[in-house]
Amino acid sequence: MDALRGLHERLVHCAVAGTALLEDDFRLRKLMDGFAPLAQKNPVFAKLYAGLQKLFQAEETERGKYLLDLLGLTDAVLYTQAEVDISGDLTPLVPVPTCGSWKRFGYQALKPLVDALTQKETGRAEILRAAYEETPLYFYDIRIVPLLLAGLGDSKKDVSMLCFRILCAIGRGQHLTDSTEQARYHTQLIACLKAGFDPTGKAKMADRAGLIREIAGAQENEWYLTALEQAEGAVRQELIRALSADRKNIPRLMELTKTERGEAKQAAYEALGQMDTSELDDFWVSHLKRNKKLAACVAYMRSDAIADVVAQNIRKAAKDVIARAELFSNMEDVALWCGALANKCSDAVFAQYRWLFGEETDIRHIKKETFYSLELCRQTIEHKICQTLVLTRPPRLIDFLTVFSETHPDKMPSACFACDALTRPAVEVYDKWTERSEKALHRYFGQIGYRDGCYQLITDTPKYLPCVGRALREPLDPRWFGDLVEQACFELIERLLPLGAPDVCQEIGKICYAAYLRTHTGADRRALLGQTEKCVEETVWYLRLFRKCGMEPVQGIVLTLCRRQPQISTAYLQYALSQYAAYADAVHTHEEAKEILQFYEETNYKSVSTIQRMRDMMAQYGFLTQDT
């Protein structure tokens, strides 16, 4: 066997090095001499010996054929001599559950995902997030799902959270259209999560328990109860939260609030808070009176009895802030109770809104320091109102906001605007709110975005799950984009562009261009003299905006920048021209650069040597030809 293995090793080396070096391979010749006595005793060795002789005697052009034949024969002989020996009694193999299916995705397509899920470098979450948004079916591949499971509890929290979110989508079959496929992935992933589950484990096992809760809900209630008997630490907390999936667990959770300690006790309260049922009204009213820190646990309950307690405590905390008249003094209680306002629509809650935002209170006369504190409270309340509109869209809240926006046109702008956007035609919303929009557009559109082919009111959700949204009644009126341009709200514009509708984008681009002409080239242009960096950034935003809107190249934008900031440096000019080159073709960029040079040659803003440096820079970066 040693002779066979040595021959195989030398033949492989010869195949790699090339047959041209065969004459100098003294090791292979020595092996051939050692095979001579073996060939006389065994026909197989005789055949190998004959093959070696033919290899050395053959012409150089023929050696490759003999080498491959001999290497194949050696492989076959070694294969037949292989042995496997396992000590002890044989036992049946336990099948390991798998999830996923073989997809026709090449190695190069999946390699960035494999590297991001197996390595430890920074930036891995962005790679995974971008790939999931562009091609979510990559993550349904059987080569990727096990890596996602291993990514739970990753040392990088953003990677672990993203793996949790993606696995949750896979378990629900969100990107699959076949119901049979959805059911298969659901069953397989639950089996994988249960396989090797350790109730005494740490973060990774806690995430597994949380995933089973999010995917299966009450279907796995018996498993939660069984695993809870041995669970410890973070795993125990997740299993307690999982009991919220079934109302039959209410007595058990009430018992756990008495027997558990620390975070496990808090988890029991959180689980009860997720059960939106009138059975728990008396329980929560009595507990909230004794412990205000439990307010966060009832954040999503809709009971009027609980809502009344929350409203009462918000007023009490706000009055305490007013009485102290100190900046951000006692704001913890206000923020705590405001955090519980989602889905609360009782008469007491509406009375609290009128007191905090309306005209019948003297809040507007309080000291400036207290006003800032209460303004923070108001913004928190508006956020919770928008969250309620997304989650449940209660008619009582719609009716209240509709009346309130008419009686108090300057109060609660983001919440009232969101209500109108969900319920009214787009033209009516614009006509009503455009006159109120000065310096408030960021508050109007702060929670509105374009995704999944429509405009939505978007809000956050607990833990790792993605944000949820509710579609507006109609797409935004394009005239809003002109107002956004005039108020330089460029980040909002980019977020609100309906990139999936090119015709609408072109219409928006024309409106934005008209607003650009009014604010940058007309008599009423915004004064930004001496603010070169801001002017350059605005110009770059316009170029990016026009490119995304699919507009034809608009010449003169960089020239307008130079006229407004004639002392612009060569570095800033290069930056602006490079962005213009990414938007326009070479001909337009060439004409733009020539006009800029002509402007400086006809004025006294730059010296002759500075203009020459500009010319050299433009030629170096391809904005001009060398002979221009």
Side-chain angles (χ1 to χ4, degrees):
M1 290 300 296
D2 291 340
L4 278 174
R5 282 192 287 267
L7 175 61
H8 182 269
E9 181 181 346
R10 293 312 306 166
L11 290 175
V12 171
H13 181 274
C14 182
V16 174
T19 56
L21 303 177
L22 186 64
E23 295 292 343
D24 299 326
D25 195 339
F26 66 91
R27 294 185 180 86
L28 186 59
R29 285 187 177 276
K30 187 176 180 181
L31 281 169
M32 183 178 70
D33 295 340
F35 263 81
L38 295 174
Q40 298 175 2
K41 298 180 180 180
N42 187 289
V44 175
F45 285 97
K47 195 169 184 178
L48 290 172
Y49 181 67
L52 284 168
Q53 289 179 318
K54 290 180 182 179
L55 178 63
F56 279 102
Q57 295 170 1
E59 297 291 334
E60 185 174 341
T61 56
E62 297 291 323
R63 286 175 181 172
K65 178 179 67 174
Y66 289 110
L67 175 63
L68 292 177
D69 290 343
L70 186 57
L71 186 58
L73 178 59
T74 308
D75 276 334
V77 175
L78 284 172
Y79 182 79
T80 60
Q81 300 304 307
E83 292 182 357
V84 176
D85 184 23
I86 300 177
S87 59
D89 297 331
L90 297 179
T91 57
L93 293 175
V94 179
V96 178
T98 58
C99 182
S101 56
W102 290 105
K103 304 288 184 183
R104 298 180 65 86
F105 300 134
Y107 172 77
Q108 291 299 327
L110 297 182
K111 186 178 185 303
L113 305 184
V114 174
D115 291 344
L117 289 167
T118 55
Q119 299 176 2
K120 299 299 180 183
E121 287 77 7
T122 58
R124 296 180 291 137
E126 290 304 318
I127 297 173
L128 294 173
R129 187 177 292 108
Y132 182 65
E133 290 175 355
E134 293 177 8
T135 49
L137 289 181
Y138 281 176
F139 294 86
Y140 285 76
D141 193 282
I142 198 170
R143 293 163 286 182
I144 301 298
V145 176
L147 300 181
L148 289 171
L149 289 168
L152 295 175
D154 191 276
S155 58
K156 298 293 183 182
K157 193 65 176 178
D158 52 353
V159 174
S160 177
M161 291 172 63
L162 196 55
C163 289
F164 187 101
R165 172 189 167 185
I166 295 172
L167 285 169
C168 190
I170 291 173
R172 295 171 177 173
Q174 287 184 1
H175 305 95
L176 303 174
T177 56
D178 187 352
S179 59
T180 304
E181 278 286 285
Q182 292 175 344
R184 183 173 69 84
Y185 273 94
H186 175 92
T187 304
Q188 287 183 348
L189 186 55
I190 294 296
C192 288
L193 291 169
K194 288 182 178 180
F197 179 80
D198 181 8
T200 62
K202 297 184 179 179
K204 183 175 292 189
M205 294 301 154
D207 283 347
R208 286 197 178 203
L211 262 174
I212 294 174
R213 176 190 61 170
E214 294 295 339
I215 297 172
Q219 296 175 3
E220 297 293 336
N221 190 61
E222 292 301 321
W223 182 83
Y224 306 144
L225 293 169
T226 303
L228 186 61
E229 295 176 0
Q230 298 178 331
E232 300 175 359
V235 180
R236 185 171 186 82
Q237 296 162 29
E238 283 299 324
L239 289 170
I240 291 174
R241 293 188 184 97
L243 297 182
S244 64
D246 196 330
R247 291 187 180 181
K248 293 186 298 185
N249 298 324
I250 289 179
R252 179 68 187 279
L253 286 169
M254 286 183 173
E255 179 186 350
L256 290 172
T257 61
K258 300 175 183 177
T259 58
E260 297 293 324
R261 295 290 181 268
E263 295 183 1
K265 184 185 187 78
Q266 182 67 19
Y269 280 118
E270 292 175 6
L272 286 170
Q274 295 178 34
M275 295 182 173
D276 193 8
T277 172
S278 58
E279 298 177 43
L280 295 169
D281 283 357
D282 294 339
F283 173 87
W284 280 117
V285 169
S286 62
H287 279 71
L288 288 173
K289 288 179 179 179
R290 295 197 302 266
N291 186 359
K292 62 184 178 182
K293 293 184 179 180
L294 295 177
C297 299
V298 297
Y300 298 95
M301 298 190 74
R302 291 175 284 186
S303 167
D304 284 355
I306 298 174
D308 291 348
V309 175
V310 172
Q312 177 185 354
N313 282 278
I314 288 178
R315 180 174 294 222
K316 179 180 177 182
K319 284 183 176 180
D320 191 22
V321 170
I322 296 171
R324 289 174 181 248
E326 297 175 7
L327 184 61
F328 300 139
S329 173
N330 205 37
M331 279 299 295
E332 295 83 0
D333 285 356
V334 175
L336 183 68
W337 289 105
C338 286
L341 268 177
N343 294 343
K344 308 296 188 297
C345 297
S346 71
D347 294 336
V349 170
F350 294 150
Q352 172 62 25
Y353 293 160
R354 283 190 288 268
W355 176 79
L356 198 56
F357 291 89
E359 297 293 338
E360 63 270 20
T361 178
D362 59 353
I363 287 179
R364 63 187 184 280
H365 300 305
I366 62 179
K367 292 183 178 181
K368 180 172 65 175
E369 291 82 0
T370 308
F371 174 80
Y372 290 145
S373 300
L374 287 176
E375 188 61 25
L376 178 61
C377 172
R378 288 169 173 170
Q379 291 180 13
T380 304
I381 288 176
E382 287 194 76
H383 172 73
K384 289 299 178 182
I385 292 174
C386 292
Q387 191 176 59
T388 302
L389 290 171
V390 172
L391 295 176
T392 56
R393 197 180 179 274
R396 292 168 67 185
L397 181 60
I398 296 288
D399 295 340
F400 169 79
L401 292 174
T402 302
V403 174
F404 191 85
S405 66
E406 299 296 338
T407 57
H408 302 83
D410 299 326
K411 307 295 182 180
M412 215 185 294
S414 61
C416 292
F417 178 81
C419 174
D420 283 351
L422 288 172
T423 58
R424 293 191 175 191
V427 175
E428 288 185 17
V429 175
Y430 181 81
D431 292 341
K432 174 182 176 180
W433 287 92
T434 185
E435 297 178 357
R436 312 177 186 180
S437 63
E438 290 187 16
K439 300 180 181 179
L441 286 180
H442 277 285
R443 295 188 66 178
Y444 288 179
F445 296 102
Q447 292 181 256
I448 293 178
Y450 185 86
R451 67 176 193 176
D452 299 332
C454 65
Y455 284 103
Q456 297 182 4
L457 182 65
I458 301 170
T459 188
D460 52 345
T461 55
K463 208 171 179 185
Y464 305 157
L465 301 184
C467 294
V468 296
R470 184 180 291 272
L472 306 187
R473 174 173 172 175
E474 293 182 357
L476 291 177
D477 191 304
R479 291 175 293 176
W480 280 117
F481 288 90
D483 297 346
L484 290 167
V485 167
E486 292 184 353
Q487 293 193 22
C489 301
F490 297 110
E491 293 184 4
L492 273 177
I493 295 173
E494 191 169 47
R495 181 160 58 82
L496 293 171
L497 275 180
L499 298 179
D503 294 340
V504 179
C505 281
Q506 288 185 0
E507 181 184 355
I508 291 172
K510 294 176 182 178
I511 294 173
C512 293
Y513 180 60
Y516 160 77
L517 293 177
R518 290 195 302 272
T519 56
H520 288 72
T521 61
D524 299 331
R525 68 185 183 186
R526 190 184 303 110
L528 289 174
L529 296 177
Q531 302 183 43
T532 305
E533 183 176 357
K534 188 171 182 179
C535 280
V536 173
E537 290 301 325
E538 280 199 6
T539 300
V540 170
W541 272 110
Y542 281 117
L543 292 170
R544 187 184 305 170
L545 173 62
F546 295 154
R547 181 173 73 246
K548 287 190 173 183
C549 289
M551 293 183 61
E552 295 294 327
V554 179
Q555 197 164 336
I557 293 182
V558 185
L559 176 60
T560 300
L561 169 66
C562 294
R563 287 173 175 167
R564 296 178 65 195
Q565 301 290 332
Q567 299 299 336
I568 186 173
S569 66
T570 305
Y572 273 134
L573 181 59
Q574 175 193 334
Y575 176 49
L577 278 173
S578 64
Q579 295 298 313
Y580 185 80
Y583 162 54
D585 54 27
V587 174
H588 287 86
T589 307
H590 183 79
E591 293 298 323
E592 186 87 352
K594 286 202 305 182
E595 290 182 6
I596 292 170
L597 286 175
Q598 183 179 354
F599 163 73
Y600 282 112
E601 290 169 353
E602 293 175 353
T603 61
N604 297 321
Y605 290 117
K606 300 284 186 183
S607 65
V608 175
S609 60
T610 303
I611 294 175
Q612 185 58 45
R613 285 199 301 273
M614 285 186 170
R615 189 186 302 275
D616 294 341
M617 178 273 295
M618 291 178 181
Q620 177 184 356
Y621 290 98
F623 306 136
L624 286 176
T625 58
Q626 292 286 350
D627 56 350
T628 300

